[in-house]
Structures are given as C-alpha cells and as structure tokens.
Amino acid sequence: MGLLLGLLLLGHLTVVTYGLPILEAPESVTGPWKGDVNIPCTYSPLQGYTQVLVKWLVQRGSDPVTIFLRDSSGDHIQQAKYRGRLHVNHGVPGDVSLQLNTLEMDDRSHYMCEVTWHNPDGNQVVRDKIIELRVQKLSVSKPTVTTGSGYGFTVPQGMRISLQCQARGSPPISYVWYKEQINNQEPIKVAALSTLLFKPAVVANSGSYFCTAKGRVGSEQRSDIVKLVVKDSSKILKTKTEAPTTMQSPLEVNPSWSWTTEVDGYLGETSAGSGSENLDVNIFGGPLFCLPQSKSK
C-alpha cells in the first residue's frame, strides 16, 4: 500500500514538473562591434499561466543591475546607457528576446533573462536564464551581389533595376561599385554606395560589374564579377509580334483563258474570258470565287 502511494505521488510530481514554463536561451552570443545583436530568450506559453513580469539584468561587478522591466504599466529602460538602443520583443507570445544596437566593447558581460508568471492557483512562478554576450571587432567579409529583379541579371530595357552589394563585419562598411572595361583597361568607378541603381536600365548599361567593401577592421574585400545584360525591348516586341509568312496554293487556270488586269485602289481584280464565262480573282491573296456571268444579249 505504501509503495502504491509512493508511485502515485511520484507521478503527480512528474506532471507538475513538466507542466511548468521553461525558458530557452543559448549559453553565449557574439555580436559585432558597432553592430547589432539579438539575445534570444523564449518559452512555450502554457494554459493557465499568465506572464506578469519580464526583466533583463546585466552583471556589473558582483551584483546584477536591472536594465529593462516590463510590467502591467508598460516597458521601462532602467539605465540611461541603453536608452535608444535596447528593445525587447513584444509581438510574439513567449518571445522576450533582447535586441541591443550599436554594440560597444564594454557591453560585454553576462545578461540575465527573468520571467514571472501567475499559475492557475494564483501563485507566482519565476524562471531565469543567464547568457554571456561577447563583442568582437569583425573583419569585413567577401561581399555578395544580388538583385531584386525577377529577371535576374538579364532585364529588358526601360526596367528599373538595382544591384545590391552586401558584406558582414563591424560597421560602418563602405562600398564602391566598378564597371569592367575592354582591352584590359582599368575598371571605372561608377558609384560609392551599397546599391547601384539603374532607373531605367538602357542597353548601354550592359557590362560586367563588381563591388568592394571596407570595414573598420581588416582589408578591403572584393565581390565576384556579375554580368548585367540589358536587352532592347523594341526588338523583343518585334520578334514576338511578327506574323509568319503564309503561302497561298497556286491557282489552277484553264490554258484557254485569256487575261486582262484592272487595278482599282488597293484591290486588283483580274478578269479572264473563255466563251461565256468569266473568273474574278483577288490578286492580294483573298478568297477565290468562280462567278458565272450572263451572256451579252
């Protein structure tokens, strides 16, 4: 009897344990110096548990300091250092991740995500997770070139198109666009922005392009060359609208007919006489009809 009660109690404790909210967060996150970072902190919402408090704390010395508080009155950033650069997700239930912008080296520390719920009995349940934030001065990566056009890098003339150069690393990152020249001449600089815009694209814009990226740390990096082809839309339209030439079958004519031709405006009519019958023919390829003609009195 005692063993049975013990098993029932163990089963009850197991259900309670598995029924509590569980915070999920990584042990550490690395962000780029002068860049932005997301520190994940999530849980699966449970029926009967109501979130009442969210805190983010940072380790300063021996004691953690609250930098963010969310309660029934709204969101509150507690430290001036983080105002304007800290945001905690609010749109997705169970997601209270922290977004920290424009990272400085002294942002490196241990951050604590703490969430408080009311359970179905009205009692408070508190869970927390500690995440280490690392800040690195990242060298710029090799840039990639993309286009927002559904045509890819081959587009019709007159279309608005942009080539976008993107690289990772500690900002700010400066970009320069170049266009290749013929006969091994030096490429010419065409823009000093991350986006090269053609509005609209013309045939003369066709050519080979590449971009470079330079960050705070490391050497300048160069993208692969991409070939932009701008097609003459008038030629494309002409090719699509031209009708194929059709051949009319030859007209079989009685050798005994004699021919005279009368042309009136856009239409030519030919009359052939053979005794009492005439044949009217549209020489522009229209339908052919054999019409009997009454004899002259």
Side-chain angles (χ1 to χ4, degrees):
M1 185 67 178
L3 179 61
L4 180 60
L5 289 175
L7 290 174
L8 289 173
L9 180 60
L10 179 61
H12 176 70
L13 291 175
T14 302
V15 170
V16 172
T17 300
Y18 280 97
L20 294 176
I22 299 175
L23 280 182
E24 300 285 347
E27 291 185 358
S28 64
V29 172
T30 301
W33 176 53
K34 297 298 182 181
D36 306 332
V37 70
N38 184 70
I39 306 178
C41 184
T42 60
Y43 66 90
S44 297
L46 294 178
Q47 186 175 2
Y49 284 82
T50 305
Q51 175 186 298
V52 293
L53 193 66
V54 176
K55 277 186 181 182
W56 275 93
L57 305 93
V58 63
Q59 194 72 31
R60 289 282 184 257
S62 58
D63 298 320
V65 176
T66 301
I67 59 174
F68 175 86
L69 175 67
R70 174 177 291 160
D71 58 17
S72 59
S73 64
D75 292 356
H76 312 278
I77 297 176
Q78 306 286 1
Q79 300 287 319
K81 170 182 171 63
Y82 297 98
R83 286 178 187 146
R85 50 189 291 259
L86 183 154
H87 172 75
V88 174
N89 192 32
H90 197 283
V92 180
D95 187 350
V96 291
S97 302
L98 182 146
Q99 175 83 21
L100 193 57
N101 301 328
T102 319
L103 288 175
E104 298 292 347
M105 297 306 294
D106 62 1
D107 286 324
R108 294 177 295 181
S109 188
H110 287 83
Y111 289 74
M112 178 186 292
C113 173
E114 181 183 287
V115 182
T116 303
W117 300 267
H118 278 154
N119 67 10
D121 298 328
N123 299 320
Q124 286 192 349
V125 176
V126 182
R127 292 290 182 268
D128 60 60
K129 279 286 185 180
I130 296 177
I131 309 104
E132 180 185 4
L133 173 61
R134 302 167 182 169
V135 181
Q136 291 184 350
K137 295 183 178 181
L138 300 179
S139 299
V140 70
S141 65
K142 178 180 178 178
T144 57
V145 177
T146 58
T147 173
S149 165
Y151 293 87
F153 294 100
T154 301
V155 298
Q157 180 175 252
M159 180 178 178
R160 179 188 175 100
I161 183 176
S162 62
L163 301 181
Q164 297 163 348
C165 185
Q166 295 176 315
R168 299 183 306 276
S170 294
I173 299 175
S174 58
Y175 298 93
V176 178
W177 277 98
Y178 295 89
K179 184 178 183 181
E180 292 275 283
Q181 301 299 296
I182 59 175
N183 300 327
N184 295 323
Q185 297 181 29
E186 286 293 318
I188 60 170
K189 178 179 176 180
V190 292
L193 298 169
S194 61
T195 301
L196 182 59
L197 182 62
F198 303 93
K199 52 175 188 178
V202 296
V203 174
N205 296 139
S206 297
S208 298
Y209 295 84
F210 68 90
C211 67
T212 61
K214 180 73 171 67
R216 285 178 177 264
V217 183
S219 58
E220 182 180 81
Q221 299 294 317
R222 171 175 164 165
S223 74
D224 293 330
I225 293 175
V226 296
K227 187 174 182 180
L228 177 66
V229 177
V230 182
K231 291 188 174 182
D232 188 340
S233 55
S234 63
K235 291 183 179 179
I236 297 174
L237 182 62
K238 183 178 180 181
T239 302
K240 290 183 178 180
T241 56
E242 280 182 346
T245 303
T246 57
M247 299 295 294
Q248 298 286 345
S249 58
L251 173 67
E252 295 182 3
V253 182
N254 190 321
S256 63
W257 292 341
S258 59
W259 294 86
T260 59
T261 303
E262 298 174 358
V263 178
D264 181 16
Y266 292 102
L267 180 63
E269 292 184 348
T270 302
S271 300
S274 175
S276 61
E277 294 182 349
N278 284 342
L279 180 67
D280 291 340
V281 182
N282 180 349
I283 66 172
F284 288 96
L288 305 177
F289 300 97
C290 185
L291 303 175
Q293 194 173 52
S294 59
K295 294 182 179 179
S296 56
K297 294 181 180 180

